[in-house]
Amino acid sequence: LGGVVIVGSIAVAIAVVLLAPRDLHSAVEFAVDPGRLKAFAIAVAIGVVAWIAVVMTTYLMVRPLGVERWKTIGGGVVVGALCLAVAAPVTIAAKYAMVEADLVQTVFPEHVDSATTPQHVTADDPWGGRKRVNILLLGGDGGIHRIGVRTDSIILVSIDTETGKAITFSLPRNMMYAQFPRKSPLHDLYPNGFGGEGDPGNWMLNAVYREIPLLHPHVLGKSDNEGADALKLAVQGSTGMKVDYYVLINLSGFQQLVDAMGGVTVNINEPIAIGGRTDLGVPPTGYLQPGPKQHLDGWDALWYTRGRYGSDDYQRMDRQRCMINAIVDEADPFTLLRRYQALAKASKDLVRTDIPRSLLPDFVDLALKMKDTRVKSVVFRSSDEFNPGDPNYDWMHETVDRALEAHNGTGHHKPKAEEDSKNACAYHPVS
């Protein structure tokens, strides 16, 4: 029996050395592979049973016979402690592995049917030869799998695949006549931009996600999410930037995510209303008070992001960008690990995306690079040059091009709309 235990232990040690991740990228690949995670959990369970069997068998074989009862009890306590000392932490590890496998399988598709996903993506070239990857961040009220969702938060994030330097483009939800690329079938339907008869609210940018699948089902061919594909094309045509992927977050459940993180910290420069309807004359139930480094729980963070009473869309867009920064700052490895189960549970019902599972390790690498850089931002707010009710899309394209050139270090003129989001989110007390 001793020989079996020794040989088995050596075999396990060799297997661990051979199969253990060699670097951070390999570790991430392991962490986002449901098959390997489940195999790991099963192996850990078998290992725990084997360990307990070895400890108990050893004790039964070597324990002295005919001794006082208290010594027998003491030996049993020691054996139990040895079993628990190994079983407890590895059981938690196995549970985390199963939680992670379930999260990855639920949120990230293995295969994507979409008219807008990038081409020429391979394991050796995850970005398909592109120097930037562009991700559309959407916030909507309603279930992530429901068709009738209005995307009131629309932010395009463009990330340099080499450096992780990022720039965001915030688009107003009420932007009219969204453009579609000329090669898209939606351009044939809306050559002058997204518009039509009836309620103007049904033709704003935030209505594309909901209306296109209802008005023109399957117009883009086979798609897992026709609304997201249509909105990606609308943002592409309006900004001139190819949109690679989208991430949709259910704002109604955003509260759960922030609570799972343990809250977020932001600067508040002026009172922000909780509740209330300006158009109906319904007053707020309270206010988030101004101050630096205000720590918000999920409820307060939701109203910081969504609060409309006494605010316009552009103020809300600014706060949404600041909330993105706050979440990035809060997401340190220790916090994520300590609160992982709660985060995973919240994320399953909050997030929908077309980022394929195979690209997760590369996106994690990119996110780690991005975390160490300063995020620039361009906000398309109402001005002499930009009217959301009748946008000058040529001007928008030029603004985007200038911003990207400046961000890449090849441009000489910073666009008026560009801001440093870190500075924009700093504390500026109002006298």
Side-chain angles (χ1 to χ4, degrees):
L1 289 176
V4 170
V5 171
I6 291 173
V7 171
S9 299
I10 293 174
V12 169
I14 292 174
V16 169
V17 171
L18 293 177
L19 299 177
R22 298 289 192 277
D23 51 37
L24 179 60
H25 186 81
S26 300
V28 171
E29 283 186 329
F30 172 82
V32 297
D33 186 333
R36 293 169 67 183
L37 287 169
K38 291 178 180 179
F40 169 76
I42 293 172
V44 165
I46 294 173
V48 168
V49 172
W51 168 258
I52 293 174
V54 167
V55 172
M56 293 182 64
T57 303
T58 301
Y59 174 68
L60 292 173
M61 293 180 68
V62 303
R63 63 176 178 158
L65 302 177
V67 298
E68 293 91 336
R69 184 173 180 80
W70 69 268
K71 292 183 178 180
T72 302
I73 294 174
V77 170
V78 172
V79 169
L82 286 172
C83 294
L84 184 62
V86 171
V90 295
T91 299
I92 292 173
K95 185 176 182 180
Y96 270 44
M98 294 300 290
V99 169
E100 169 73 0
D102 184 41
L103 172 66
V104 172
Q105 283 185 314
T106 302
V107 175
F108 297 95
E110 186 173 5
H111 302 290
V112 178
D113 287 323
S114 169
T116 59
T117 51
Q119 304 296 314
H120 312 299
V121 172
T122 64
D124 295 330
D125 186 6
W127 313 124
R130 303 183 309 285
K131 294 183 179 180
R132 307 190 71 88
V133 60
N134 303 320
I135 307 167
L136 188 60
L137 301 183
L138 305 172
D141 290 335
I144 55 175
H145 295 283
R146 200 182 77 191
I147 293 178
V149 172
R150 280 185 175 270
T151 52
D152 283 343
S153 177
I154 304 169
I155 300 175
L156 182 61
V157 183
S158 181
I159 310 171
D160 188 302
T161 57
E162 290 292 330
T163 65
K165 291 173 61 178
I167 182 169
T168 67
F169 298 88
S170 297
L171 304 177
R173 67 185 181 90
N174 61 342
M175 192 173 77
M176 303 297 291
Y177 310 114
Q179 305 292 294
F180 295 104
R182 290 190 177 277
K183 294 183 179 181
S184 165
L186 290 173
H187 184 272
D188 297 334
L189 293 169
Y190 301 100
N192 298 317
F194 184 61
E197 298 179 353
D199 184 356
N202 292 333
W203 303 105
M204 297 191 302
L205 181 62
N206 73 334
V208 171
Y209 187 100
R210 181 189 68 183
E211 295 297 328
I212 291 295
L214 294 175
L215 296 172
H216 314 287
H218 313 303
V219 66
L220 297 175
K222 194 173 183 181
S223 172
D224 295 328
N225 189 342
E226 293 179 274
D229 280 339
L231 187 51
K232 286 168 69 176
L233 291 172
V235 171
Q236 176 180 335
S238 301
T239 63
M241 294 180 63
K242 175 75 168 66
V243 182
D244 300 311
Y245 305 100
Y246 80 91
V247 177
L248 171 65
I249 298 176
N250 176 5
L251 289 180
S252 298
F254 175 73
Q255 176 181 345
Q256 304 169 36
L257 185 64
V258 174
D259 282 335
M261 294 183 67
V264 292
T265 301
V266 296
N267 296 309
I268 300 179
N269 291 312
E270 57 188 17
I272 299 172
I274 298 175
R277 289 284 301 273
T278 306
D279 54 340
L280 299 178
V282 179
T285 58
Y287 286 88
L288 300 178
Q289 296 302 320
K293 297 183 178 179
Q294 300 282 359
H295 191 75
L296 308 181
D297 61 12
W299 171 257
D300 289 341
L302 179 63
W303 283 108
Y304 174 89
T305 305
R306 296 180 59 192
R308 293 183 181 180
Y309 189 93
S311 301
D312 58 31
D313 282 345
Y314 302 102
Q315 291 171 308
R316 292 174 65 234
M317 288 161 61
D318 288 341
R319 296 200 302 266
Q320 288 164 4
R321 291 185 297 114
C322 294
M323 181 56 64
I324 291 175
N325 286 334
I327 290 174
V328 170
D329 291 340
E330 198 72 33
D332 62 273
F334 178 73
T335 298
L336 295 180
L337 183 61
R338 183 163 51 93
R339 300 179 176 273
Y340 186 74
Q341 283 186 267
L343 282 166
K345 182 179 179 181
S347 299
K348 281 176 58 179
D349 299 324
L350 294 181
V351 180
R352 186 176 183 183
T353 182
D354 61 351
I355 295 175
R357 197 177 302 164
S358 59
L359 289 186
L360 281 182
D362 302 288
F363 268 102
V364 172
D365 288 345
L366 194 59
L368 293 173
K369 294 178 183 177
M370 180 181 170
K371 186 172 173 60
D372 295 328
T373 65
R374 301 189 71 167
V375 179
K376 298 288 185 178
S377 61
V378 171
V379 181
F380 288 103
R381 62 178 79 245
S382 184
S383 65
D384 293 338
E385 294 88 0
F386 180 74
N387 174 12
D390 187 17
N392 182 338
Y393 285 106
D394 289 336
W395 178 85
M396 284 187 68
H397 286 208
E398 292 172 3
T399 300
V400 169
D401 290 341
R402 286 198 301 270
L404 291 176
E405 288 173 1
H407 198 244
N408 293 330
T410 58
H412 302 291
H413 301 287
K414 180 179 178 179
K416 293 181 181 179
E418 183 177 335
E419 306 169 5
D420 187 320
S421 62
K422 292 288 186 182
N423 292 334
C425 300
Y427 182 54
H428 303 294
V430 178
S431 59

